[in-house]
Amino acid sequence: MEAALEDLEPGYPGGPLLNPWGLAKDIKNAREWKLKEIMNGRLAMIAMLGFFVQASVTHVGHINNLLEHLSDPWHRTIIQTLSKISS
């Protein structure tokens, strides 16, 4: 295990265990992939926060909200949903 992780940047393992396809062989490419991974992780966290807020406001899951909207897109929007909840 130690041999597989040697010569790696601290805090970002990579190597044959966590980079099996060798996408980040050179250091310039590795930095680019790290940045993309961090940005995608942040975007995923924001999306999950949106799912949690939506579920807490509407009391149903995001799939049910989508299906409800697709069944009648002109009358089942966020505005109508929020107006039903506030009244």
Side-chain angles (χ1 to χ4, degrees), residues 29-59:
N29 195 15
R31 292 183 198 283
E32 181 182 338
W33 280 97
K34 284 187 230 180
L35 180 61
K36 287 180 181 180
E37 183 178 350
I38 290 169
M39 298 305 283
N40 285 334
R42 290 178 180 168
L43 182 62
M45 286 188 276
I46 291 171
M48 287 305 299
L49 177 65
F51 287 159
F52 295 148
V53 169
Q54 180 181 15
S56 69
V57 169
T58 62
H59 302 291

Side-chain angles (χ1 to χ4, degrees), residues 44-78:
M45 286 188 276
I46 291 171
M48 287 305 299
L49 177 65
F51 287 159
F52 295 148
V53 169
Q54 180 181 15
S56 69
V57 169
T58 62
H59 302 291
V60 294
H62 59 278
I63 300 294
N64 290 337
N65 283 324
L66 176 64
L67 293 175
E68 185 178 325
H69 171 69
L70 291 176
S71 69
D72 188 11
W74 293 105
H75 298 101
R76 298 190 186 231
T77 64
I78 191 169

